């Protein structure tokens, strides 16, 4: 079984200092295909640790069955993830599980596809797109902070914003769900015809693989996250030629993939 974490290299940028290589431990993110008595039900994106607990808890919290109705849980490791089957005791009156049409992401876990093959799909390869100065990132973070009206009011939402290559704010959207905020931003950009390849996206959250997937599918070459990425997010970013920056703060950030799109000084 996979471990719960893995260490990946990155480069730390600080204003006025050279890039410094370092290694950071990151959580693993794996597709977990959940079946109920052999019938595929959903795919959850989860850390591959205590997966039996995850399956039992899911069945109970989704009101599918009572704890006493669970006869056992089997786990099988596949190339694309883990297959987990929850077996019910003979005569158990398992309730009908609510239907699921989208993949159960680690951000919410509320809906899911049924097959592992559909959970982590191949991504298109990005072109070169924009290049930005390292200093554009803290400039963007400051601008985004000033525009999070709902976040300041509630302290309970995430934001996703698009910036031009100079770090000037173009659009921002907020939502209680980080992936929802990014979807809202993507829709707003499409509505007014903004070319995602000409700038970069900042999200006020950690970066799991679906955030990378969304950025790639709208054609954005650079994704900046306030918190850390998962190992799978870095893997998918490298596969798609996406520049992935995380742990972004006013005084610096870490580059986990695609550092060639970042430069120290504005070109002459």
């Amino acid at each position: 079984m996979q471990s719960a974490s893995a260490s990946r290299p990155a480069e730390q940028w600080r204003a006025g200092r050279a890039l410094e290589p370092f290694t950071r431990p990151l959580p693993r993110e794996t597709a977990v295909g959940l079946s109920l008595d052999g019938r595929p039900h959903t795919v959850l994106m989860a850390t591959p640790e205590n997966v039996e607990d995850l399956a039992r808890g899911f069945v109970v919290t989704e009101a599918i069955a009572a704890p006493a109705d669970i006869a056992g849980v089997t786990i099988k490791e596949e190339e694309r993830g883990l297959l987990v089957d929850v077996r019910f005791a003979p005569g158990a009156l398992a309730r009908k599980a609510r239907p699921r049409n989208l993949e159960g992401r680690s951000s919410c876990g509320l809906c899911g596809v049924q097959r592992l093959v559909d959970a982590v799909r191949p991504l298109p390869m990005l072109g070169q797109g924009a290049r930005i100065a390292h200093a554009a990132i803290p400039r963007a973070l400051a601008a985004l902070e000033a525009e999070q009206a709902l976040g300041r009011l509630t302290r309970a939402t995430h934001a996703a914003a698009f910036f031009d290559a100079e770090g000037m704010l173009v659009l921002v959207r907020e939502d209680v769900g980080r992936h929802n905020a990014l979807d809202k931003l993507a829709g707003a950009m499409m509505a007014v015809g903004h070319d995602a390849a000409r700038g970069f996206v900042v999200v006020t959250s950690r970066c799991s693989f679906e955030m990378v997937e969304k950025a790639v599918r709208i054609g954005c070459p650079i994704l900046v996250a306030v918190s850390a990425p998962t190992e799978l997010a870095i893997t998918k970013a490298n596969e798609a030629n996406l520049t992935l920056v995380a742990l972004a703060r006013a005084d610096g950030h870490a580059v986990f993939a695609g550092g060639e799109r970042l430069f120290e000084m504005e070109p002459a």
Side-chain angles (χ1 to χ4, degrees):
M1 202 69 67
Q2 299 178 37
S3 62
S5 65
S7 294
R8 297 293 291 266
E11 292 182 313
Q12 180 69 55
W13 180 86
R14 301 283 186 193
R17 293 164 57 179
L19 285 172
E20 299 178 4
F22 76 105
T23 300
R24 171 147 182 130
L26 302 167
R28 288 191 186 274
E29 188 179 17
T30 301
V32 179
L34 180 65
S35 297
L36 306 177
D37 271 338
R39 299 182 62 181
H41 176 58
T42 189
V43 177
L44 306 172
M45 297 306 302
T47 299
E49 183 180 52
N50 303 319
V51 175
E52 180 174 342
D53 293 341
L54 171 65
R56 290 178 181 273
F58 181 93
V59 165
V60 173
T61 62
E62 284 284 297
I64 296 171
D69 293 330
I70 300 173
V73 177
T74 59
I75 303 172
K76 181 180 180 183
E77 190 165 4
E78 298 281 344
E79 180 181 356
R80 297 179 182 272
L82 301 175
L83 294 177
V84 182
D85 186 42
V86 179
R87 302 184 313 279
F88 298 114
L93 298 176
R95 300 176 180 87
K96 183 179 180 181
R98 57 182 172 184
R100 291 173 172 264
N101 299 313
L102 299 172
E103 116 201 8
R105 300 182 171 122
S106 52
S107 53
C108 64
L110 291 180
C111 39
V113 295
Q114 292 186 326
R115 302 186 306 159
L116 292 177
V117 70
D118 296 324
V120 185
R121 299 168 294 183
L123 296 178
M125 182 68 68
L126 290 167
Q128 175 57 44
R131 296 183 71 242
I132 67 172
H134 281 283
I137 294 175
R139 187 157 57 240
L141 292 173
L144 180 55
E145 176 67 25
E147 293 297 323
Q148 293 180 62
L150 184 60
R152 285 196 305 275
L153 178 65
T154 65
R155 297 297 177 187
T157 60
H158 287 296
F162 180 68
F163 295 84
D164 66 19
E166 284 68 49
M168 303 300 292
L169 180 64
V170 178
L171 280 172
V172 60
R173 292 293 184 270
E174 296 179 274
D175 195 274
V176 291
R178 59 197 171 90
H179 54 289
N180 294 340
L182 186 49
D183 282 341
K184 287 180 178 181
L185 177 68
M189 290 173 64
M190 294 173 198
V192 295
H194 286 305
D195 183 359
R198 298 175 66 86
F200 62 102
V201 166
V202 177
V203 294
T204 61
S205 63
R206 67 183 176 84
C207 184
S208 53
F209 96 96
E210 80 270 18
M211 305 298 275
V212 167
E213 180 177 31
K214 290 177 184 295
V216 170
R217 293 196 183 280
I218 65 173
C220 185
I222 303 170
L223 176 63
V224 177
V226 170
S227 296
T230 64
E231 185 206 22
L232 182 57
I234 298 171
T235 298
K236 302 304 285 186
N238 281 316
E239 288 178 4
N241 191 33
L242 175 78
T243 295
L244 179 57
V245 177
L247 300 169
R249 302 289 187 272
D251 63 344
H253 47 259
V255 183
F256 286 92
E260 65 277 0
R261 289 196 182 92
L262 301 171
F263 54 86
E264 189 59 41
M265 299 178 63
E266 299 287 350

